[in-house]
Amino acid sequence: MPISRRGLLAGTAATGAGLAVPITSASTASAARSAVAAGEKIRPGDVRYADLVQRGQNKRFTAKPEYARVIQSTEDAVRAVQDAVRAGKRIAVRSGGHCFEDFVDSSEVQVLLDMSTYDDVSFDERYRAFSIGVGATLEKVYKDLFYGWGVTLPAGGCLGVGVGGHFAGGGYGPLSRKYGSVVDHLYGVEVVVVDKHGRARSVVATRDNAYQDLWWAHTGGGGGNFGLVTRYLMRSAGATGRDPSESLPKAPSELLSNLIVYDWKTIGKAGFVRAVRNFFDFFEANNGADSPYATLYSPFILSTASTGGFLMSNQMDASVPNAAGLLKKFTDAMIAGLDPAPQVYGGAAGPFMLTTIQRSIAAGPSTTRNKWKAGYLRKGYTDAQIETMHARLNDANNTAAETSILLIPYGGKVNTVEPDATATAQRDVMAKMVMTVSWNDAAEDAKHLAWARKTYADIYAGTGGVPVPNATNAGSYINYPDVDLADPAYNKSGVPWHDLYYLGNYPRLQQVKATWDPRNVFRHKLGIQPA
């Protein structure tokens, strides 16, 4: 059955980046540079222009800037920003290109700064932290950290995502229930900022230096808000030594995994409600950081009835005591009360990196038009909400190429951090919901957008069509931006979009914005407004 590109975490990915040699360097420039001259402006008509402006994942939007620049160094980034500011040009920055709205690919953007070759992963002795160039993809980061030092980060499961926006927005992934959000390992950030006089400069802000407020803003405040990030410095809180292999979480040696596949033809509405309730009940009961299931990652991919089935993809650290027994107990809980029972496949252990690559979404550009919506869950949906999901996934009028509602376990170690310690405020959550609709024909935009908006509104009918924070909801995730949340035609709750994304942290983010980007140089449709 077809599964959304972010749905089934499976398939063999391209091997992509090579191995990293554990070096000690403060350089953020990749050893293998493109041939673009520093400062070169790539304009329409240049053979490189189309590739640079069409790297975005959502084909509903394509940038048409006056020129693009491929950033080669921190100094190059400062010059590029200064040139654009001096000329009064609107700037946008791209690393991986996975933004779901037109924050980069906007008709208002005049200068596109591409960070994709700025991707070095090394250990910086000065800061005793791993330096990761903002253009690095997650696949490169995972391979370089693991093969070089045996460590990893609790980041996302889509290999082609660039760390630029992913880290700044509070990224998460298969290991987050064990090791927390990726921002819980962010020691510092190097960022090009513009002062009130229009002067660009590079600043390194860390969790313990004079620029701590700027560091804090990048622990979940979202990309494109405060400046141009050139590199991240990653060191886990509490790691104080100079040994790189002790500075980030140790990677598991093996992962144990299986798949549970559900048949739309036999499950029925009652069975669907029971299957989703099984998922919610289990993770509500096993959401503590000290749970034996802390390493369990079980995205539940609910695809449409027209695909024939839906599935749950499960993995956990094979070194956990009685891991096989724990996975079986979990699997039994997922299929409890379902007759006929869904099919279970797999159960074997595999090497960490090989299994991670196989079960992640391969790198590569999207060719579809799409719409994404999301929500944090403190508790599971009601039966009525689950029945709404069942009805919408069985809607024969939905003819999109791919549709899914993805339920992702969250929390665990994430929830041990105070909500104001980082800009990532959602620290009492047990799951996330991510809905995506993808299609190919521009003539069908209105149709598929209407379907996505109605489905989301129906799920959150009791709270004005959006996940208003309450006992069940905790707002939404800024790395899945949805401009509808700022539109009263779709957000009828009266709660502003920024409270849905940032909860009580928004006023502090505004203060940081006013301090570090007083001219509002770095902005987009869901941009933080200066205080």
Side-chain angles (χ1 to χ4, degrees):
M1 62 186 168
I3 298 294
S4 165
R5 63 176 292 277
R6 282 183 182 256
L8 174 58
L9 306 183
T12 302
T15 54
L19 307 188
V21 178
I23 59 175
T24 55
S25 170
S27 170
T28 60
S30 173
R33 283 294 172 218
S34 74
V36 178
E40 184 178 4
K41 297 178 180 179
I42 300 172
R43 301 182 183 276
D46 190 303
V47 294
R48 297 165 294 180
Y49 179 86
D51 278 281
L52 289 170
V53 302
Q54 294 183 32
R55 285 184 53 234
Q57 292 287 317
N58 190 347
K59 298 311 175 189
R60 287 171 54 209
F61 313 116
T62 301
K64 296 180 181 179
E66 294 177 14
Y67 65 86
R69 288 173 72 159
V70 178
I71 302 302
Q72 304 294 302
S73 66
T74 300
E75 295 74 20
D76 190 19
V78 173
R79 285 192 297 268
V81 171
Q82 188 66 78
D83 287 351
V85 170
R86 187 178 294 118
K89 302 297 184 183
R90 176 75 175 268
I91 298 172
V93 182
R94 171 174 285 152
S95 58
H98 282 69
C99 185
F100 300 146
E101 295 287 1
D102 64 343
F103 296 173
V104 176
D105 295 313
S106 167
S107 60
E108 298 177 0
V109 169
Q110 297 164 300
V111 175
L112 175 62
L113 304 182
D114 188 282
M115 308 298 296
S116 59
T117 65
Y118 200 74
D119 62 355
D120 180 67
V121 179
S122 58
F123 190 75
D124 189 319
E125 290 283 6
R126 176 183 177 185
Y127 294 103
R128 292 179 288 114
F130 285 97
S131 172
I132 300 178
V134 76
T137 64
L138 291 180
E139 180 172 4
K140 177 174 173 57
V141 170
Y142 292 152
K143 287 182 174 180
D144 285 8
L145 290 178
F146 179 70
Y147 291 130
W149 298 272
V151 298
T152 193
L153 282 168
C158 184
L159 298 176
V161 165
V163 303
H166 182 70
F167 284 10
Y172 74 100
L175 294 176
S176 287
R177 282 167 41 82
K178 176 66 175 177
Y179 295 121
S181 168
V182 72
V183 300
D184 299 334
H185 304 271
L186 177 64
Y187 173 70
V189 57
E190 182 180 79
V191 54
V192 178
V193 295
V194 179
D195 67 18
K196 64 182 180 180
H197 303 294
R199 293 186 297 242
R201 63 187 175 113
S202 177
V203 172
V204 175
T206 73
R207 68 167 78 107
D208 53 14
N209 74 4
Y211 307 134
Q212 186 184 38
D213 60 336
L214 186 60
W215 163 84
W216 180 87
H218 286 87
T219 62
N225 274 313
F226 308 99
L228 185 159
V229 177
T230 51
R231 63 171 174 149
Y232 292 105
L233 297 167
M234 309 304 296
R235 171 162 44 97
S236 300
T240 58
R242 293 187 176 276
D243 183 351
S245 66
E246 301 295 333
S247 298
L248 288 176
K250 292 287 187 183
S253 58
E254 289 187 311
L255 293 174
L256 192 64
S257 62
N258 71 10
L259 292 174
I260 306 174
V261 180
Y262 303 75
D263 189 341
W264 269 115
K265 294 183 178 63
T266 61
I267 196 166
K269 181 167 73 172
F272 180 88
V273 173
R274 178 62 187 267
V276 176
R277 179 62 56 212
N278 286 347
F279 174 90
F280 285 140
D281 287 350
F282 184 90
F283 284 105
E284 284 184 38
N286 294 276
N287 197 30
D290 58 351
S291 166
Y293 290 99
T295 67
L296 177 64
Y297 182 64
S298 302
F300 198 4
I301 305 105
L302 305 172
S303 49
T304 58
S306 62
T307 66
F310 54 97
L311 59 85
M312 188 184 298
S313 176
N314 310 304
Q315 69 178 55
M316 67 183 303
D317 185 343
S319 70
V320 171
N322 190 32
L326 289 170
L327 184 60
K328 184 180 186 306
K329 184 177 179 180
F330 167 75
T331 303
D332 289 344
M334 293 303 97
I335 66 178
L338 300 178
D339 185 19
Q343 296 294 308
V344 180
Y345 300 94
F352 169 71
M353 185 52 60
L354 175 63
T355 305
T356 295
I357 297 300
Q358 288 176 337
R359 296 178 64 81
S360 297
I361 298 162
S366 168
T367 59
T368 64
R369 310 169 74 82
N370 48 72
K371 181 63 179 177
W372 298 72
K373 290 180 171 290
Y376 283 104
L377 288 165
R378 290 178 167 130
K379 297 195 310 182
Y381 289 135
T382 65
D383 283 1
Q385 287 174 299
I386 299 172
E387 289 174 357
T388 294
M389 292 162 56
H390 178 270
R392 300 300 291 163
L393 291 171
N394 278 271
D395 181 7
N397 292 320
N398 176 19
T399 59
E402 294 180 350
T403 300
S404 67
I405 297 175
L406 179 61
L407 303 174
I408 309 169
Y410 193 60
K413 183 71 171 179
V414 173
N415 291 349
T416 64
V417 176
E418 291 298 317
D420 60 353
T422 66
T424 300
Q426 286 85 357
R427 297 291 187 166
D428 58 353
V429 172
M430 53 79 63
K432 293 189 182 189
M433 183 279 287
V434 187
M435 183 181 72
T436 177
V437 182
S438 300
W439 63 96
N440 298 302
D441 188 351
E444 297 182 348
D445 283 4
K447 172 184 176 181
H448 298 305
L449 287 170
W451 189 93
R453 286 163 172 160
K454 177 171 173 49
T455 300
Y456 194 69
D458 287 353
I459 292 172
Y460 294 109
T463 52
V466 297
V468 172
N470 58 19
T472 298
N473 306 314
S476 193
Y477 174 46
I478 192 59
N479 277 355
Y480 298 149
D482 176 10
V483 297
D484 291 351
L485 297 188
D487 188 336
Y490 309 112
N491 178 0
K492 301 178 181 180
S493 69
V495 177
W497 67 267
H498 46 75
D499 286 355
L500 298 176
Y501 285 118
Y502 300 116
L503 304 185
N505 284 340
Y506 187 66
R508 184 176 174 186
L509 287 167
Q510 288 184 287
Q511 292 291 340
V512 178
K513 176 75 169 180
T515 300
W516 290 99
D517 186 22
R519 297 165 65 100
N520 203 20
V521 171
F522 301 94
R523 61 191 188 272
H524 51 71
K525 288 183 178 177
L526 294 179
I528 292 167
Q529 297 301 307

